[in-house]
Amino acid sequence: MTSTKTAATADAHPAGSPAPAPTPAPTSAGTPKTSPTDQDPFSAEVGRLVVQGEDRPGIVSKISTLLLDHGANIIDLDQYSSNPDGGSFTQRTVFRLPDLPTVKPKLMDDLGGLLDDELHMRWSLTEANKRKRVAILASTSDHCVLDLLWRQRRGEIEMTVPMVISNHNVLAADVRNFGIPFFHIPLNKDTRAEGEARELDLLRGNVDLVVLARYMQIISEDFLEQVGVPVINIHHSFLPAFIGAAPYRKAKERGVKLIGATAHFVTGDLDEGPIIEQDVVRVGHEETAADLALRGANVERTVLSRAVAWWCQDKVVRDGHTTVVF
Amino acid sequence: MTSTKTAATADAHPAGSPAPAPTPAPTSAGTPKTSPTDQDPFSAEVGRLVVQGEDRPGIVSKISTLLLDHGANIIDLDQYSSNPDGGSFTQRTVFRLPDLPTVKPKLMDDLGGLLDDELHMRWSLTEANKRKRVAILASTSDHCVLDLLWRQRRGEIEMTVPMVISNHNVLAADVRNFGIPFFHIPLNKDTRAEGEARELDLLRGNVDLVVLARYMQIISEDFLEQVGVPVINIHHSFLPAFIGAAPYRKAKERGVKLIGATAHFVTGDLDEGPIIEQDVVRVGHEETAADLALRGANVERTVLSRAVAWWCQDKVVRDGHTTVVF
Amino acid sequence: MTSTKTAATADAHPAGSPAPAPTPAPTSAGTPKTSPTDQDPFSAEVGRLVVQGEDRPGIVSKISTLLLDHGANIIDLDQYSSNPDGGSFTQRTVFRLPDLPTVKPKLMDDLGGLLDDELHMRWSLTEANKRKRVAILASTSDHCVLDLLWRQRRGEIEMTVPMVISNHNVLAADVRNFGIPFFHIPLNKDTRAEGEARELDLLRGNVDLVVLARYMQIISEDFLEQVGVPVINIHHSFLPAFIGAAPYRKAKERGVKLIGATAHFVTGDLDEGPIIEQDVVRVGHEETAADLALRGANVERTVLSRAVAWWCQDKVVRDGHTTVVF
Amino acid sequence: MTSTKTAATADAHPAGSPAPAPTPAPTSAGTPKTSPTDQDPFSAEVGRLVVQGEDRPGIVSKISTLLLDHGANIIDLDQYSSNPDGGSFTQRTVFRLPDLPTVKPKLMDDLGGLLDDELHMRWSLTEANKRKRVAILASTSDHCVLDLLWRQRRGEIEMTVPMVISNHNVLAADVRNFGIPFFHIPLNKDTRAEGEARELDLLRGNVDLVVLARYMQIISEDFLEQVGVPVINIHHSFLPAFIGAAPYRKAKERGVKLIGATAHFVTGDLDEGPIIEQDVVRVGHEETAADLALRGANVERTVLSRAVAWWCQDKVVRDGHTTVVF
């Protein structure tokens, strides 16, 4: 899936495309009716299998043969081995299988036999028309949250958003305008423990992904363990890095020409997790540090939306400290 | 103003920055407080003079001397001559002048004496903290309209939007969510005359610019004459062009790798006016014609927002069939 | 192989990388020693299988099983079906197989049994360390020719260049500086027949690809048939297209903001073949038509080098009027 | 001169264009005959005045009036004030003045009276058809050196290259193929003093700029003082920065998606000088650390060529720790 990872575009839209919103907003009437799946009468028959683990000969053959034996037709397959000798194996397979929802349990059993018992791989099987459930955590900035909600409504991101949680109240009206529940959970460094406990009560079991959309609070290791789903964060980036406070002012003082943003999985070290996506925007000498910050905000929302869109299509596979983005 | 015209960025934000919205939406509380002007206690003192006409020696000197004689300090000046011999002269001058609102009439008189009577140039003098009044015409697509309204609210485009007019009703709720008046004027090729007459009743005298945000009706030459302000349009573009109907399908069939959009001034020939801004987004073989159309929509909104933002900063100067974009 | 198709980069270098030149030029001593293959002690064991034809279930399984039965380990696989119902199937498989050169004949036999006799697919099997033989046809412009030769020498394009043929003599010295044979075959519309006959005498059997590097002569259908290998051409592109003579002047007069180039396979219709790669460069109002032409030349060389580099890695698969670029 | 600073293009060519090489290489016969100046019969009449210093009212007026009094016609003017209150003033003025070479001494006197004695500004007056003399220091990598020499020959950079100096011998043949003198001055940390002394003997008085084209030796503060001309360096950059040795390996391990390069003026702190230009190229998970290094090399040469080309057109003005790039 080449062009979905294209850098420096005006467009954060992923290539593969989603099913239409169950109840399309009237305003989407004029938007292009799009995406293979919703044009495809067989969309309920499209499955995605992602497999990762230790590389060895024969995995592709065994997986594709198993799928064939179940009557599946592979329509898109990406496979990558990080190293011909003892590297890691990652494969994303999109296939069409009549009655997928019905036969899925049997397919899961057989995949478990092959991938768990025989090959000891990590794997997931998803149905293309089952949208990911994505919770958004935010603070006061609207740019990342609204970009995600808008693209979700336009059918550009294959997700539902069961909730937006914020430690402030300023985004409530905008979020609810999209018909999305907004929960206000005040939280600061002193009340982090109980705040995160309340967040976990809302999130646990209800979401497949948590997105930090300029959520300006530290996430505890304990939260990461308990939430049980991946957490994606966005932050600004520069060449070179400007460490510490007021990075935009420092960048301005060096005459920096590019302002960037990085979307990454959150690990114990908040800004050091595996990188999913990055992009930059160009700035000039005539722009103030405040202009740079506003530019940065625009790159942030584009990069975060790309990362979330790809993740929702099962295109982003974490591999230790790095990622495979098909 | 170099980087404001940078291609292929994730960001349509112009470099110079606007004054804050008169009544900032609560949601903007979290957005970067930005822009020279709203940080600048003297923003009411900042003026912009744009001059264009036949090139000859001495224009820069005479204009800058006149401004100096009025106590103005030039803070940003761009001048361009299309040809050293008998080309056209274009200059944009940003200056600071205490009590600008008070002394403006006298300055206008003296500029008229120099630029009208002596040099016979076209010119305009605007106050940086007076936002342009931009009317948006749309049909059913929301992507360009909402991108403009959202960036306006975020303070990324120095405009007010007194009205959105559509020949359909589907965008009413979204537009009014921004607190912007929405007027529904049904119009088709048979009712164009009376429809445009109603549009003109609403527009005449109330706006500085009309933006066609995926407005899917032909604009009559008569409308262009009577509306009395520039009209900016957006449409998709390809390399090479795919003439006629279903351009995205034709592009798909050729294996085209770039989908683009062009923002231009509207002239009698709808899609052939002077080009203000263009950009492209990359596509891949795995994308359907419908995906390409959705990509195209995203480039359209980015390119249109850039063109409008620059126009609102008096950076876009039409010069016959072409444009000077400072 | 995502990022190799990234748009709008300063860099035409493909991601996968070549084996070092048999006799590295001294100047390459300082260049990064790179690419999986030349770092890989098993490079002689790496093969690439490209298969294309009518889609049906089981192809992936049968191919991967056959490779497994020969002891091959798949290290990179891309598969794409243009349509789940009766579309075309395209697969590129990179595998490692000890003693590939020795066992290749047997593997070819078995692949023939499967892909020719049973599945009726088009296919090719290449050895990663066998560089493609690429002939370059040029006229007087040096930019595309020298970019190709330089990248070849730097190890950025996995090719050897057995000859450069030109209908002019001006490039002789530069080409021979790279140690590449240069043949001057005068040719114009009146002498096309005998000129092309002489070209075919040099090319037939000696090359895997012919690249038109700003070769300013029409290629006859007869030549295309007789040369028996793909022919790749480069030409400028615009949004919108400016038909006819002096496109740069026309683009300048419209205030065009992007100048582009398109690399495509040559078919009977010289500039209408399947598109392999495109890119654009940004231009401004202050640039002359001549500046635009010089900008265009730079995009041309970058786009052509990308297209040739990807083709040499078996990543470009022609599929009727379009292409699949993995 | 907006678009010359455009980011992320395939093209390092500056917009304004140079006079033809005194003795054009035969190979350049086929290259586009371009650029205002060499098409312009008056190129010997085009001057460029760059002025920088403390901002105050009236500078633009006084300079433009002085030029007018000498019969000069301003054809391109960029002026920027870093802050309306007590910031720095920077202006680049391109003008046409008949008999410029003849009247230049008188013009210099009068400019000195205004800019030195009255306004106490830094300033330079150059003739557009007098190319800058640029010395290149290199080590063993050819990519930056050859890109500069090639673009110089193609007329894309308005410079002559009186010498290439290297602490190794590997680039001798390639450099001399361009007809450029190559001097080998062995130098390491133990012999830096005498090595730099020999370099200074060659450089002093003979060059207007020194470019470090992947010159892998530290430059002493003493050398910077004695050489008496600006020194431009290029180095790789990442988002975020990967400090210390093996940055490409570290970037690979984090799954970095963008590889960049930064061109900057050299100050006492080698990699921390004012930034002139930056760009990035996209990379993917399938690329090795060695691939990343090769990609980085390609961005380096593009970014360095842009920075040098703009400097040679007097578009790059250093302002303390930052730069103004018109």
Side-chain angles (χ1 to χ4, degrees), chain A residues 193-270:
Chain A
E194 59 259 53
E196 289 190 343
R198 291 183 55 199
E199 293 173 348
L200 287 167
D201 289 341
L202 296 171
L203 296 170
R204 226 186 267 95
N206 291 323
V207 300
D208 305 304
L209 177 73
V210 172
V211 175
L212 308 184
R214 302 300 293 147
Y215 177 67
M216 305 309 283
Q217 289 291 320
I218 287 168
I219 300 283
S220 72
E221 297 241 21
D222 184 58
F223 178 93
L224 289 178
E225 279 161 30
Q226 292 199 43
V227 72
V229 297
V231 178
I232 292 178
N233 186 36
I234 184 74
H235 63 77
H236 50 58
S237 305
F238 302 88
L239 316 74
F242 296 95
I243 310 303
Y248 287 105
R249 183 177 54 69
K250 290 173 185 162
K252 169 71 178 171
E253 290 167 355
R254 267 295 298 286
V256 74
K257 299 293 184 279
L258 297 177
I259 297 292
T262 298
H264 62 91
F265 287 113
V266 177
T267 60
D269 186 351
L270 182 59

Side-chain angles (χ1 to χ4, degrees), chain C residues 43-229:
Chain C
S43 64
E45 304 186 340
V46 174
R48 298 188 202 123
L49 174 65
V50 175
V51 177
Q52 185 175 67
E54 188 188 329
D55 192 15
R56 81 205 63 182
I59 304 176
V60 175
S61 168
K62 286 169 173 162
I63 292 171
S64 54
T65 303
L66 186 152
L67 289 172
L68 179 64
D69 294 343
H70 283 74
N73 185 21
I74 295 171
I75 54 181
D76 187 3
L77 190 156
D78 287 289
Q79 183 272 337
Y80 168 69
S81 298
S82 64
N83 188 325
D85 289 312
S88 66
F89 172 100
T90 309
Q91 179 175 326
R92 176 183 185 264
T93 309
V94 183
F95 60 87
R96 195 178 121 207
L97 176 52
D99 299 322
L100 174 61
T102 314
V103 304
K104 190 177 172 192
K106 177 73 169 70
L107 178 58
M108 296 284 287
D109 287 347
D110 296 350
L111 284 169
L114 172 66
L115 298 171
D116 294 329
D117 310 341
E118 178 182 344
L119 298 174
H120 312 295
M121 313 289 278
R122 293 175 297 284
W123 63 282
S124 69
L125 176 67
T126 62
E127 297 171 64
N129 68 346
K130 286 254 194 324
R131 302 163 146 254
K132 302 290 191 295
R133 304 166 302 162
V134 178
I136 301 173
L137 267 60
S139 291
T140 59
S141 296
D142 66 345
H143 58 285
C144 288
V145 177
L146 296 187
D147 198 77
L148 286 165
L149 296 183
W150 190 17
R151 290 181 189 275
Q152 185 276 334
R153 190 182 72 177
R154 278 178 59 76
E156 294 181 17
I157 305 181
E158 297 180 21
M159 66 178 177
T160 59
V161 181
M163 67 191 76
V164 173
I165 299 174
S166 175
N167 56 330
H168 295 76
N169 230 331
V170 295
L171 301 180
D174 279 329
V175 168
R176 290 172 178 148
N177 273 343
F178 282 89
I180 307 279
F182 175 92
F183 302 123
H184 177 211
I185 299 182
L187 181 154
N188 57 46
K189 67 183 190 342
D190 305 320
T191 64
R192 174 157 299 114
E194 59 259 52
E196 288 190 343
R198 290 184 54 199
E199 292 173 349
L200 286 166
D201 289 340
L202 295 172
L203 295 170
R204 228 187 266 95
N206 291 324
V207 299
D208 304 304
L209 176 73
V210 171
V211 175
L212 308 184
R214 304 297 294 145
Y215 176 68
M216 305 309 284
Q217 288 290 320
I218 287 168
I219 301 283
S220 72
E221 297 241 22
D222 184 58
F223 179 94
L224 289 177
E225 279 162 30
Q226 292 199 43
V227 73
V229 296

Side-chain angles (χ1 to χ4, degrees), chain B residues 128-158:
Chain B
N129 68 346
K130 286 253 194 326
R131 301 162 148 256
K132 301 292 191 297
R133 303 166 302 162
V134 178
I136 301 172
L137 267 60
S139 291
T140 59
S141 295
D142 67 342
H143 58 285
C144 288
V145 177
L146 296 186
D147 198 77
L148 287 164
L149 296 183
W150 191 12
R151 289 180 189 276
Q152 186 275 335
R153 191 182 72 176
R154 278 179 60 75
E156 294 180 17
I157 304 181
E158 297 179 20

Side-chain angles (χ1 to χ4, degrees), chain A residues 3 17 27 151 174 287 291, chain B residues 3 17 27 174 287 291 301:
Chain A
S3 58
S17 289
T27 56
R151 290 180 188 276
D174 279 329
E287 297 180 74
D291 293 328
Chain B
S3 60
S17 288
T27 56
D174 280 329
E287 297 179 74
D291 293 328
R301 65 184 173 98

